[in-house]
Amino acid sequence: MSITRWGNPPWIIDFHPTRGPIPDEVDFAVIGGGFTGLSAAAWLRQMEPGKSVAVFESGSIGAGASGHTGGMTLAETAAGDLPGLGDVLSGFSATLRDLAVDGDLSLPGVWEVGRSGALPDSPISWTDSGNLRAIRQVPGGTIDPGKLVSGLGRSAAGRGALIFENTTVEDIAFEEPMRLNVVGLNAAGREVRAKSVLLATNAMSLELSDLAERAQPKFTLALATEPLSSAQLENLCLASGKPFYTIDFPYLWGRLLRTGGIVFGSGLVHLNDWREFAELDIAQGEVAELMARLELRVRGLHSSLKNVQVSNRWGGPILIASGWRPVFSRHPRSAHAIVLGGYSGHGVALSVYLGRWAAEALCGRRALPDWDSAGETA
Ligand SMILES: Cc1cc2nc3c(=O)[nH]c(=O)nc-3n(C[C@H](O)[C@H](O)[C@H](O)COP(=O)(O)OP(=O)(O)OC[C@H]3O[C@@H](n4cnc5c(N)ncnc54)[C@H](O)[C@@H]3O)c2cc1C
């Protein structure tokens, strides 16, 4: 998947694995080198250092949502808490610690903001289709997505996982072992046999993960401003480092960067087919129009932002699954394949946390949750 036209976020992924020969057979194949796949690969090797792990990534690591995210670390899931989910933020922090990953994690809390029901002493007062004010604080914070992708990649490779960038899994024959048809650099249609597979392909390859009929791929946008002065950040009430998101529409979220710049995000492009991702261009058509609208909203939010310069514009894929619940289940065609994703734009902490859980499930050490119908009768 070419992502050169999705724009450039303000962080860098400074780790790329050394490429070795593609093996004929592995114990565990992980498809997708985002937060989910890299976390699972690192944890598989941590638990089972004697077993082989190969990650196949179509682009470079972080080429999908993980490198193009906003980096807010949120509790629970987009559908709230789910049976057996546990504490996502504690599990996320513990996984970073256990895998020795420095993702610049900070958890000062998150502002929920909205156009009604504000706190009487709301420190926030912005203008965006009404008066946007603070409604409550919830647990959460931010990471540096470049550091998180790089750190997870380094951790997985350091533990002996083989990571193949620019290598796509085109097809899987669901036999025992499964046979993966792998295409990419020096691998024109190679077959790799895998005893177990994790599909961590998020909004792409939806036929492979059997999600084409069950989840909707979308493209969403973000921009980063040039660094603001401390006075500007104080005026905006963003100096504390607490990110925010709206709980009503039109949707808007934002977070402070270490540089003093702020990332704002909003907007959804609807796709009929995930292959349309390859055509999306941050500077053209509907995406460019949505970006211009976002920029206008940001400048109108507060006098401190009226003349702000935008340094980065980008977008990336998200996958909305049924009931906004993440998909975490066996592949219908094999008990040895797990599908994990569909975080509905709420996957930074969750992907790393569930990636570890998926690794444990692949090793038979933990059961999968049953979220397919959770909440439907509630
Ligand atoms: C603009 C934006 C802002 C966001 N902001 C936030 C936020 O602030 N907080 C939050 O919690 N969530 C946010 N999200 C969502 C979050 O980033 C994602 O949920 C998370 O990154 C998903 O990680 P992943 O590893 O599952 O998927 P991805 O990072 O998309 O990884 C999937 C990978 O699979 C690869 N792939 C696909 N098919 C194949 C194949 N056949 N063979 C090999 N490789 C393949 C892709 O190239 C890709 O790299 C945001 C998303 C976007 C786009």
Side-chain angles (χ1 to χ4, degrees):
M1 176 75 55
S2 157
I3 46 95
T4 49
R5 290 175 297 177
W6 290 358
N8 297 308
W11 38 77
I12 40 168
I13 295 173
D14 67 0
F15 172 77
H16 291 285
T18 314
R19 193 181 173 91
I22 294 182
D24 292 330
E25 186 157 24
V26 289
D27 292 302
F28 301 104
V30 175
I31 312 176
F35 296 147
T36 304
L38 294 174
S39 161
W43 199 248
L44 279 167
R45 286 289 301 185
Q46 173 84 1
M47 281 187 305
E48 299 276 3
K51 295 202 171 163
S52 52
V53 176
V55 179
F56 299 106
E57 164 54 50
S58 292
S60 51
I61 60 168
S66 300
H68 294 86
T69 186
M72 287 189 292
T73 44
L74 305 171
E76 303 184 337
T77 75
D81 197 10
L82 292 172
L85 175 68
D87 185 334
V88 173
L89 288 173
S90 310
F92 174 66
S93 308
T95 301
L96 296 196
R97 199 179 51 239
D98 294 346
L99 292 174
V101 172
D102 173 15
D104 256 359
L105 173 64
S106 122
L107 292 170
V110 180
W111 288 116
E112 288 192 341
V113 301
R115 283 111 184 150
S116 61
L119 293 169
D121 56 349
S122 165
I124 291 174
S125 181
W126 304 329
T127 306
D128 181 53
S129 298
N131 187 205
L132 263 184
R133 306 184 68 209
I135 289 173
R136 62 173 185 150
Q137 264 190 76
V138 293
T142 55
I143 47 99
D144 176 322
K147 282 193 175 180
L148 185 56
V149 169
S150 310
L152 288 170
R154 211 173 266 123
S155 178
R159 283 169 174 71
L162 305 170
I163 304 178
F164 299 98
E165 295 185 308
N166 302 304
T167 306
T168 299
V169 175
E170 291 279 357
D171 199 11
I172 305 175
F174 288 96
E175 297 163 4
E176 286 194 30
M178 282 166 274
R179 291 186 291 115
L180 278 53
N181 179 20
V182 170
V183 175
L185 290 180
N186 314 323
R190 274 281 305 274
E191 181 178 290
V192 177
R193 292 183 298 282
K195 290 182 190 140
S196 301
V197 171
L198 175 66
L199 290 115
T201 45
N202 187 22
M204 289 170 262
S205 305
L206 295 179
E207 292 77 16
L208 210 59
S209 57
D210 198 53
L211 294 178
E213 304 300 323
R214 292 177 55 198
Q216 299 160 34
K218 314 262 183 213
F219 189 80
T220 189
L221 309 178
L223 61 78
T225 72
E226 292 288 358
L228 301 181
S229 68
S230 318
Q232 285 172 310
L233 292 173
E234 288 294 344
N235 288 340
L236 278 163
C237 259
L238 290 175
S240 68
K242 290 187 185 81
F244 73 89
Y245 57 80
T246 59
I247 56 163
D248 50 16
F249 293 104
Y251 188 60
L252 187 72
W253 57 266
R255 60 158 296 184
L256 181 65
L257 294 169
R258 282 257 161 134
T259 57
I262 306 174
V263 176
F264 292 96
S266 187
L268 274 187
V269 179
H270 306 280
L271 278 68
N272 294 316
D273 188 304
W274 64 270
R275 290 168 188 82
E276 293 167 18
F277 280 126
E279 309 304 320
L280 295 179
D281 185 335
I282 208 76
Q284 306 267 344
E286 187 187 354
V287 185
E289 279 167 30
L290 286 173
M291 185 59 84
R293 204 174 304 161
L294 173 60
E295 216 167 306
L296 210 62
R297 284 174 70 190
V298 167
R299 287 184 203 291
L301 212 54
H302 191 274
S303 54
S304 298
L305 293 169
K306 194 166 167 229
N307 297 312
V308 76
Q309 295 297 308
V310 173
S311 56
N312 302 73
R313 297 173 180 82
W314 72 97
I318 59 172
L319 187 67
I320 314 273
S322 168
W324 297 70
R325 293 184 298 273
V327 175
F328 192 11
S329 51
R330 305 270 162 200
H331 194 286
R333 299 185 59 195
S334 172
H336 303 292
I338 289 176
V339 179
L340 175 56
Y343 308 118
S344 306
H346 188 116
V348 170
L350 194 60
S351 55
V352 173
Y353 175 70
L354 296 183
R356 173 179 181 158
W357 183 339
E360 290 163 359
L362 284 172
C363 294
R365 298 185 187 205
R366 198 168 173 189
L368 293 184
D370 180 12
W371 293 335
D372 279 357
S373 56
E376 241 147 43
T377 52

